[in-house]
Amino acid sequence: MRYSKEHKAETHARIVKKASVRLRERGAHGIGVADLMKEAGLTHGGFYAHFDSREALVVEAFDYAMDRSMARRRQQIGDLAPDERLPHLVDTYLSPQHRDNPGHGCAMPALGAEIARESPKTRRAFAAKLDDMIGMMAEQYPGDPDAARKQAIAALATMMGGILMARIAGSGEVSDEFLKIGRDTVLERATAQPAARRAAAKKAAKKG
């Protein structure tokens, strides 16, 4: 039976969507092609009608996960005042809900260690999405773009490390500590930077 292009595109999208969840839940090597295709209501043999390789599926599923995640976060902060956006991003990222639901959360902490061992092609795809995420975070820091990017990178490193360690620790007090200390660290650093710049400017003005 021949299917229309629209049907094939819908099927392809369904596979990618399901894979994006399983990828984050089970890791890059936790996706069984046969099981995934069965879950999508398809045969194992139909996989190669949609993807050239398993790696191609992993990259596309990761792209989908990251694009959806960033679009959702942009939507969440769209109606907030500028000074409320960074706290919202940090609070929702380093939250028990995000910790306990990796299948629908950020793909970076879920997959980062595995992707570091993947092919250069896969690593480049992840690096591109990570750079997009840095750009989105940098928008939340006012002032010099270079300084904003540095702050964004430091914030994301803290946030991703915090959520990863919280997941490793489970869901008890130690896990909650990682979430809280991560939130406090990012937000305190964001508050301290403008204060430090003002103090430096004041000091320079007195010398002048």
Side-chain angles (χ1 to χ4, degrees):
M1 179 184 295
R2 293 178 63 86
Y3 292 103
S4 67
K5 290 182 179 180
E6 291 78 9
H7 180 273
K8 184 174 182 179
E10 290 173 1
T11 301
H12 186 98
R14 187 166 75 249
I15 298 169
V16 170
K17 184 176 181 179
K18 287 184 178 295
S20 76
V21 176
R22 296 294 174 262
L23 188 69
R24 287 170 282 176
E25 287 179 342
R26 302 175 188 173
H29 297 283
I31 300 178
V33 170
D35 290 339
L36 183 63
M37 295 299 283
K38 183 178 179 180
E39 189 174 339
L42 301 165
T43 64
H44 187 186
F47 176 82
Y48 291 100
H50 293 276
F51 306 97
D52 293 334
S53 64
R54 185 180 174 283
E55 180 185 43
L57 170 60
V58 169
V59 170
E60 193 168 342
F62 171 76
D63 283 351
Y64 174 88
M66 288 300 297
D67 288 344
R68 287 294 298 270
S69 178
M70 286 193 289
R72 184 171 62 251
R73 294 183 190 284
R74 285 189 182 280
Q75 185 179 31
Q76 289 172 350
I77 65 174
D79 294 329
L80 297 178
D83 62 346
E84 296 175 336
R85 292 172 184 171
L86 181 62
H88 179 85
L89 288 172
V90 175
D91 287 343
T92 54
Y93 195 97
L94 288 166
S95 66
Q97 292 79 12
H98 187 201
R99 175 194 63 199
D100 299 338
N101 193 19
H104 292 87
C106 180
M108 289 294 179
L111 298 167
E114 289 183 88
I115 298 307
R117 304 185 186 97
E118 292 291 332
S119 70
K121 178 182 177 181
T122 301
R123 294 201 305 272
R124 283 194 298 270
F126 274 59
K129 291 301 178 182
L130 179 57
D131 198 54
D132 289 344
M133 197 171 182
I134 292 169
M136 184 186 75
M137 282 295 292
E139 292 171 7
Q140 315 313 318
Y141 291 91
D144 177 67
D146 289 339
R149 181 175 174 84
K150 288 178 182 178
Q151 290 191 72
I153 290 172
L156 284 173
T158 302
M159 291 161 64
M160 291 177 184
I163 200 72
L164 175 61
M165 296 304 294
R167 286 173 178 166
I168 291 171
S171 57
E173 290 184 10
V174 174
S175 180
D176 290 339
E177 276 188 295
F178 276 113
L179 298 178
K180 182 181 185 305
I181 292 171
R183 289 194 301 267
D184 291 347
T185 299
V186 174
L187 295 177
E188 285 171 6
R189 185 184 294 136
T191 302
Q193 290 294 327
R197 287 197 296 270
R198 288 194 296 270
K202 187 175 181 181
K203 184 177 180 181
K206 285 183 177 180
K207 287 184 177 179

